[in-house]
Amino acid sequence: MILLAFCRYRYHTSLFDWPGYHEVVETPEQVEHCINEYRALVTMCDTYLGKVLDMMDEYDLWKDTMLIVNTDHGFMLSQHNWWGKMMMPYYNELAHTPLFIWDPRTGVCGERRQALVQTIDLAPTLLEYFGLPIPADMEGRPLRETIESDKKIRDYALFGQHGIHVNITDGRYVYMRCPMPDKEQELFNYVVEPTSYPGAITVEELKTAVLHEGFSFTKGCPMLRIKGGYGIRTLGFPPRSLMEYGTLLYDTETDPGQEHPLEDKATEERMLRNMVRMMKENDAPDEQYVRLGLEQWV
């Protein structure tokens, strides 16, 4: 909190401690100030995480307590000329999140792992730790052996967000598939109850609702299929077409900042084949293949 007060003392224009989700239009001074505010927030989080670790020491919890430190997504702080999340392609600043795990059964600490893991692995990791069965339709995998010996549990990871690029990575290359030019808005919400952000599902969209048989992960429960996307128009920023970015391929080993998209047909085809395979494994709706121009790959 000392850092936060220091930043505000030196800052001489309007308060700017939380950006909207839009492209950067602020002055360099405002950008620097917002980044400093974020640094103060991280410092506060680090301080309170330290209190948790102190408690683990005080009560000798390390011998029988699993500790997972993770977050759901990153946040753009002017990288790629963006603030926030959701509107832009899912660059590593958003998708490559921190993950620390202490598993008292392994005793492994102070080491890094290179195996490709995802947040979907956390639930089966916890189930396995407590000796509970892992449901057959869970795509995630328990991480005990990865923690012990860097055991690989997948070759590719599918990631992203409804209505934005569909993305896949093998840990080095990241492929971001953009919708076809005339199919970007061919989106449907599949819900049990038609609720979302206020106003995100409009009355007109709700009128399109039809009963859908559901998916493997809904365990036989039917869903409402409603025309409409993510509802970003309600969040206070102007719409931006994904087509302005197009489909992107990055090599994060040679270009960690994802500043220079590749033209590599062989790698793109490999990523495409595995994207379609994983979409099938995740029971993606049929219209997604059409929306992404993947019919010939199905």
Side-chain angles (χ1 to χ4, degrees):
M1 300 305 292
I2 293 174
L3 176 59
L4 179 62
F6 179 71
C7 291
R8 283 183 172 164
Y9 178 75
R10 297 189 59 196
Y11 183 64
H12 302 297
T13 185
S14 59
L15 178 66
F16 182 51
D17 59 0
W18 187 264
Y21 292 0
H22 53 70
E23 290 182 283
V24 176
V25 294
E26 290 76 14
T27 67
E29 183 184 14
Q30 287 175 308
V31 171
E32 181 184 16
H33 175 67
C34 193
I35 291 173
N36 284 336
E37 294 275 7
Y38 187 82
R39 287 172 176 149
L41 176 62
V42 172
T43 300
M44 182 184 71
C45 292
D46 186 61
T47 298
Y48 280 96
L49 175 59
K51 294 179 183 294
V52 173
L53 302 184
D54 289 343
M55 184 185 68
M56 298 279 287
D57 289 338
E58 181 180 356
Y59 294 101
D60 194 22
L61 299 178
W62 297 106
K63 66 178 183 296
D64 61 2
T65 304
M66 174 175 281
L67 177 67
I68 300 176
V69 180
N70 185 225
T71 186
D72 54 345
H73 58 77
F75 196 86
M76 291 290 188
L77 290 166
S78 77
Q79 299 94 336
H80 305 281
N81 202 45
W82 275 99
W83 295 113
K85 57 175 182 170
M86 298 192 305
M87 284 296 295
M88 67 295 294
Y90 257 53
Y91 296 111
N92 268 359
E93 289 87 353
L94 294 176
H96 196 180
T97 59
L99 174 61
F100 307 90
I101 301 179
W102 164 256
D103 186 335
R105 299 169 301 178
T106 69
V108 176
C109 63
E111 298 182 13
R112 292 178 178 268
R113 296 291 180 255
Q114 299 303 313
L116 188 60
V117 303
Q118 295 183 268
T119 51
I120 60 172
D121 301 320
L122 298 183
T125 296
L126 289 168
L127 290 171
E128 187 270 339
Y129 180 74
F130 288 106
L132 298 174
I134 298 172
D137 55 356
M138 271 193 173
E139 293 289 333
R141 297 291 180 267
L143 297 178
R144 177 175 179 170
E145 293 183 74
T146 302
I147 295 168
E148 285 180 324
S149 62
D150 208 12
K151 179 182 178 181
K152 178 186 287 189
I153 58 172
R154 62 174 55 84
D155 293 314
Y156 296 87
L158 199 65
F159 65 97
Q161 176 187 299
H162 178 61
I164 315 297
H165 287 75
V166 176
N167 313 288
I168 189 171
T169 183
D170 61 1
R172 173 177 176 176
Y173 293 96
V174 174
Y175 181 64
M176 304 174 174
R177 182 73 178 188
C178 182
M180 300 303 290
D182 59 339
K183 301 293 184 181
E184 185 174 357
Q185 297 305 317
E186 290 300 309
L187 284 171
F188 294 86
N189 290 303
Y190 292 86
V191 296
V192 173
E193 185 178 358
T195 59
S196 184
Y197 289 100
I201 299 179
T202 66
V203 172
E204 292 305 312
E205 289 171 343
L206 193 55
K207 290 178 180 178
T208 71
V210 296
L211 200 62
H212 184 270
E213 63 184 1
F215 302 94
S216 59
F217 50 85
T218 67
K219 299 175 173 43
C221 298
M223 312 285 286
L224 283 178
R225 182 178 188 263
I226 303 174
K227 181 71 175 70
Y230 184 66
I232 54 177
R233 63 185 175 279
T234 70
L235 298 180
F237 46 77
R240 174 77 181 267
S241 172
L242 293 177
M243 296 310 302
E244 297 181 41
Y245 295 99
T247 292
L248 301 166
L249 174 67
Y250 292 102
D251 180 351
T252 62
E253 183 175 293
T254 61
D255 179 25
Q258 295 175 298
E259 300 286 352
H260 308 288
L262 291 178
E263 294 288 341
D264 184 337
K265 185 176 181 180
T267 300
E268 180 174 4
E269 288 186 357
R270 174 172 63 85
M271 303 299 273
L272 266 175
R273 285 194 302 272
N274 285 283
M275 176 178 286
V276 171
R277 172 183 61 81
M278 294 191 72
M279 288 175 65
K280 290 180 179 178
E281 291 173 357
N282 284 272
D283 208 5
D286 294 340
E287 69 267 8
Q288 271 291 4
Y289 301 99
V290 177
R291 182 172 182 263
L292 299 175
L294 298 178
E295 302 98 317
Q296 71 273 26
W297 295 89
V298 178

